[in-house]
Amino acid sequence: MHINRTPPVSSARFFRAACFVLVPFMAIFAVPAGIAHAETRVGGYINSHEEWSAAGSPYLLTSHVTVADGAILSIGPGVVVRVAPESKTEDIGFDPAVFVTGGDLHMDGSVDSHVTVDGVGGIFVAAGDSHNGVAHIKYSDLRGGSRLSFDNSDGTIATSTIRGADMGLYTKDSVISMWGSAIEDNSVGIYVQPHQVFLLGDGGYPASIRGQSGVGGIGNALSLAPDRFASSSLDIHGSSFIGNTDRAIMNNSELTVDARSNWWGNPSGPMTSGENSVRGDVAYAPWLSAPPAAEPVTTATPCCSSVLFIPGLEGSRLYRVERRPLGLGTSENQLWEPNRNADVKKLFMDSSGASIDRSIYSGGPIDKALGFVDIYGGFMRSMDKLVDKGVMNEWRPFGYDWRKPVAEVVDGPEKRATSTESLMAMVATMALSSRTGKVTIVAHSNGGLVAKYLVKKLADAGRAALIDSVISVAVPFLGTPVAIPALLHGEGQSILGGLIASAGNMAKLGLNMPSAYSLLPSREFFAKAIGPTIVYASTTADTYDKQASFIASRANKALVQAADFIHGLLDPFVWPANIARWAVVGWNNDRTPIKTVESTSAFAVINNPYGDGTVKAQSAAHDGGETIPLDLKVQSNIDGKSIDHVNILGASTTKTAIADILSNPSSDNGVIYSDNPATHNTKVINELSKLPGVTVGDMDWNALDATFEANRKELRVSTHSP
């Protein structure tokens, strides 16, 4: 139990700023029927990990409770939180509240035993010195004026209610997802504050200036607040807005609130003025024509986790809105996959690695390229079938602008046609609706680098427990030599012989495209003795520095350095032990590039069979987990078509393997392993071993390479005339 004491003046100032300027309200003290536990009085600071349980309920606030930077407060099912009757109102005019300043708040009620927060000054979540404030709320009810506030923070709200406050939910420069909840009988249901940094007349600072809350100085605020604003989002789905006397949503910010598929109290949707109306940039169509279904009385049967799919490079469609000829309005132009070289040119980026056209936005993964080449269509249909069979509650794809660096994809937001979407928020939201409370990630190619950075971010924030498993398919964890001729010459990048996309235009696109550089062989690639990657005259790039020097002299040096930095974070990253990891590694495609022979006027690509046609097996198997080598020649014969890196996810054996993994989770009755749980899943390993062309377990790829090179029968001769 922490000590009852009043927070210092700085907390009071933060309280005033975070609450906005509102009329004070009277606390309502209501004792729910059936509560027979001894009460617990609380106040002051939580500096480590504290749990509030039904056995100690109700919890009575004698003063503010502050969850300090890096600390955790967990509130379990059946807990009631309210103000102690003898507690006097604070001198700033508000009742005791809960502050989360860089800590984590978990309000984890259950379907039949909610958490209740009744008549407190509110729950205020903001950033601290080292961490963003985080609040994950499910099966919880805030009532009696108890508002919820987020400032430079992250939150998920599921199957909960916010009722009877002057402002139900306040958010500013934060990433918030809500689903299955009710915003009812407030004055303003949700208020979105605009991003701003300015001095107040009395010398104090608003909540966006972190220094005034005791968690940083002015310079810190000026540099950090804009970055936080760049990743702000508010998504609300499957929820209801009823009886909010002023506004249901008041959005005064620059972002678009994604409030589609909600119930607004009547089949006609939300009003634009008066009670329960919306104001500002709010995407609310389509809406629900009836209230969302109530939650079931019993929890779902465990197994299995919901699935997040992250596609690879060039695997998501990209668009922009263009004006029609003769001023006849606008239309959406699909730039990728392209239907002419002009589309490729519109995707060009500047030397800093930013899109020249900032209006471009992303859509979903490509099902069939150009309408007839299956990319992800077969895989996505297989995922639909698993949902139909009841294996899992849902799966979601995350299409993204694959030109961007992986860190930017994860940090977000991802621009959509009428809104934005946050990958981090999607994971948190999916976990709340998943049967296990966790998410399994299936990632292809470059999507695996995105997934690894995503897990690192979650682990850094102490949220790795949101991830159940990671299934990486043909992921170039250490890069791939094929990226070198593709980047420098557009090799293998043309479409329909250049009619739709020429090698020259693709090379110009790659020149300033950050993601192309993160696919280059990394330092760890050479440390694993997989190189050399470039042969030029009498010089061989058998070290990373030689390779980097060669490419930097012919391409974008700054992006070479940026890629080296990101691999410096990802390659040594130690996966959390709770996450089961599987790696599908394609091999026996004899057109897998291993190095490029360069001259001043030409180049040649040297291939060998130990890869999937794009990625070397060593790179795809590196630290990916339990390795599932897939013989692509065998697979091509089975499927009656060529299977390689591009379409490996749609191969029949790959789909079966993923279905086996998803249907038989690696965790068993709460057993916690100190290493990769996948290696202990003997049931799945046995099933995978029965699949044609599959041998579970890593192979000695370097020895196979050496044997192949010793027996290579190719002879390449070139002459150079002046």
Side-chain angles (χ1 to χ4, degrees):
M1 178 61 60
H2 52 275
I3 300 172
N4 293 335
R5 62 187 176 90
T6 303
V9 175
S10 61
S11 291
R13 291 181 180 174
F14 164 58
F15 186 89
R16 184 187 301 118
C19 290
F20 196 54
V21 181
L22 298 172
V23 178
F25 52 86
M26 295 298 294
I28 300 175
F29 300 98
V31 181
I35 298 296
H37 303 293
E39 64 186 28
T40 304
R41 281 170 162 71
V42 292
Y45 283 83
I46 295 173
N47 294 307
S48 55
H49 186 184
E50 184 165 318
E51 296 184 6
W52 295 358
S53 67
S57 183
Y59 286 80
L60 306 181
L61 306 186
T62 59
S63 63
H64 298 322
V65 170
T66 300
V67 184
D69 202 326
I72 301 173
L73 171 60
S74 298
I75 304 177
V79 170
V80 176
V81 182
R82 60 178 189 267
V83 175
E86 76 280 5
S87 180
K88 294 182 180 181
T89 302
E90 296 290 315
D91 59 5
I92 57 173
F94 291 95
D95 292 301
V98 176
F99 292 91
V100 183
T101 55
D104 277 27
L105 172 66
H106 303 281
M107 292 172 56
D108 295 327
S110 64
V111 66
D112 50 5
S113 186
H114 284 209
V115 172
T116 301
V117 179
D118 192 354
V120 307
I123 297 174
F124 301 93
V125 189
D129 279 331
S130 305
H131 305 86
N132 285 332
V134 176
H136 294 291
I137 299 170
K138 66 180 180 181
Y139 295 117
S140 298
D141 301 315
L142 282 75
R143 63 193 190 194
S146 304
R147 75 195 66 161
L148 182 59
S149 174
F150 291 90
D151 189 334
N152 278 279
S153 51
D154 302 278
T156 54
I157 306 161
T159 53
S160 299
T161 60
I162 303 176
R163 179 183 291 114
D166 44 10
M167 183 178 297
L169 171 64
Y170 169 96
T171 177
K172 179 176 179 294
D173 294 353
S174 298
V175 176
I176 309 297
S177 291
M178 175 187 291
W179 71 275
S181 298
I183 308 297
E184 300 178 352
D185 302 327
N186 305 286
S187 178
V188 175
I190 297 177
Y191 182 89
V192 187
Q193 172 78 352
H195 172 76
Q196 54 189 345
V197 177
F198 57 87
L199 301 183
L200 296 180
D202 64 356
Y205 298 91
S208 59
I209 300 294
R210 302 181 180 184
Q212 198 56 41
S213 63
V215 290
I218 300 306
N220 199 26
L222 292 176
S223 62
L224 289 177
D227 291 340
R228 184 61 193 166
F229 171 65
S231 60
S232 300
S233 65
L234 175 57
D235 303 320
I236 312 155
H237 305 293
S239 299
S240 61
F241 293 85
I242 301 174
N244 298 290
T245 56
D246 187 359
R247 305 276 186 184
I249 300 178
M250 180 180 292
N251 181 15
N252 283 343
S253 74
E254 300 85 348
L255 66 84
T256 299
V257 175
D258 185 352
R260 295 170 291 179
S261 300
N262 293 301
W263 168 247
W264 300 90
N266 65 77
S268 301
M271 305 295 291
T272 56
S273 62
E275 180 177 337
N276 214 49
S277 60
V278 298
R279 177 180 177 180
D281 193 355
V282 179
Y284 52 76
W287 54 81
L288 300 180
S289 58
E295 284 295 310
V297 177
T298 57
T299 56
T301 303
C303 183
C304 299
S305 295
S306 297
V307 172
L308 169 66
F309 169 51
I310 307 178
L313 195 79
E314 302 179 357
S316 304
R317 291 194 166 101
L318 303 179
Y319 305 88
R320 80 169 188 173
V321 175
E322 299 179 353
R323 292 190 177 277
R324 289 174 173 160
L326 304 177
L328 300 176
T330 60
S331 63
E332 183 180 67
N333 181 17
Q334 178 180 299
L335 302 180
W336 191 269
E337 65 277 27
N339 56 33
R340 55 189 179 276
N341 272 286
D343 289 339
V344 178
K345 293 179 180 179
K346 292 171 184 174
L347 295 173
F348 285 178
M349 310 184 84
D350 62 27
S351 59
S352 71
S355 180
I356 294 173
D357 185 344
R358 302 301 176 92
S359 70
I360 293 173
Y361 56 90
S362 59
I366 297 173
D367 47 1
K368 288 188 175 182
L370 304 177
F372 63 90
V373 180
D374 185 78
I375 305 298
Y376 297 129
F379 166 73
M380 293 193 290
R381 288 190 296 273
S382 73
M383 299 301 292
D384 289 336
K385 290 178 181 178
L386 291 178
V387 173
D388 293 341
K389 291 178 180 178
V391 172
M392 58 191 176
N393 282 350
E394 67 169 340
W395 78 276
R396 295 191 197 181
F398 186 83
Y400 60 95
D401 188 341
W402 37 264
R403 301 174 300 162
K404 301 188 298 186
V406 295
E408 190 174 330
V409 175
V410 174
D411 292 339
E414 188 65 28
K415 183 178 176 63
R416 305 299 189 201
T418 59
S419 62
T420 60
E421 193 167 35
S422 162
L423 182 55
M424 295 277 283
M426 178 180 282
V427 170
T429 301
M430 291 181 66
L432 287 169
S433 61
S434 174
R435 294 179 184 178
T436 62
K438 298 183 178 185
V439 176
T440 287
I441 300 174
V442 177
H444 174 237
S445 191
N446 184 68
L449 299 181
V450 174
K452 193 170 186 179
Y453 191 84
L454 169 64
V455 172
K456 183 182 184 304
K457 289 280 289 187
L458 291 171
D460 290 347
R463 302 299 292 159
L466 290 174
I467 305 300
D468 181 358
S469 305
V470 176
I471 305 172
S472 56
V473 182
V475 174
F477 284 114
L478 303 180
T480 170
V482 77
I484 297 172
L487 178 65
L488 298 180
H489 310 291
E491 169 69 6
Q493 300 300 298
S494 66
I495 302 177
L496 290 184
L499 294 176
I500 290 179
S502 68
N505 279 329
M506 291 300 293
K508 291 177 182 177
L509 171 60
L511 176 64
N512 293 320
M513 192 169 81
S515 58
Y517 289 80
S518 60
L519 296 181
L520 294 169
S522 68
R523 292 183 184 274
E524 189 66 16
F525 183 96
F526 290 89
K528 297 298 182 183
I530 311 173
T533 57
I534 304 171
V535 176
Y536 181 75
S538 60
T539 301
T540 298
D542 53 3
T543 68
Y544 175 82
D545 289 332
K546 290 180 181 179
Q547 173 190 273
S549 177
F550 180 89
I551 296 173
S553 67
R554 291 157 176 79
N556 190 317
K557 181 178 180 180
L559 295 185
V560 171
Q561 295 171 339
D564 186 28
F565 176 80
I566 198 68
H567 274 286
L569 297 176
L570 293 181
D571 293 356
F573 173 66
V574 178
W575 293 87
N578 66 285
I579 298 176
R581 293 171 287 108
W582 305 84
V584 178
V585 177
W587 70 282
N588 209 7
N589 183 311
D590 56 13
R591 298 189 62 82
T592 303
I594 61 169
K595 59 186 173 184
T596 305
V597 179
E598 294 273 351
S599 74
T600 55
S601 59
F603 70 96
V605 178
I606 307 298
N607 304 316
N608 91 3
Y610 296 107
D612 59 21
T614 297
V615 178
K616 285 283 292 169
Q618 293 98 317
S619 182
H622 173 74
D623 202 29
E626 187 67 28
T627 306
I628 309 171
L630 177 59
D631 188 324
L632 296 183
K633 284 189 177 178
V634 173
Q635 188 62 51
S636 296
N637 289 331
I638 292 172
D639 290 353
K641 61 180 180 181
S642 177
I643 300 296
D644 58 17
H645 176 84
V646 174
N647 62 358
I648 188 174
L649 201 55
S652 58
T653 300
T654 307
K655 291 185 291 186
T656 300
I658 291 175
D660 285 343
I661 295 169
L662 295 177
S663 302
N664 300 279
S666 295
S667 58
D668 182 20
N669 297 324
V671 174
I672 299 176
Y673 299 105
S674 60
D675 57 351
N676 179 15
T679 63
H680 301 275
N681 197 332
T682 54
K683 179 179 179 180
V684 171
I685 292 174
N686 289 337
E687 290 300 314
L688 295 177
S689 299
K690 299 174 185 177
L691 296 175
V694 171
T695 52
V696 181
D698 205 8
M699 300 166 66
D700 191 344
W701 304 108
N702 282 8
L704 292 169
D705 275 346
T707 300
F708 178 82
E709 293 303 318
N711 294 282
R712 182 186 287 275
K713 297 179 181 180
E714 295 175 335
L715 175 64
R716 292 180 178 266
V717 178
S718 63
T719 60
H720 301 276
S721 168

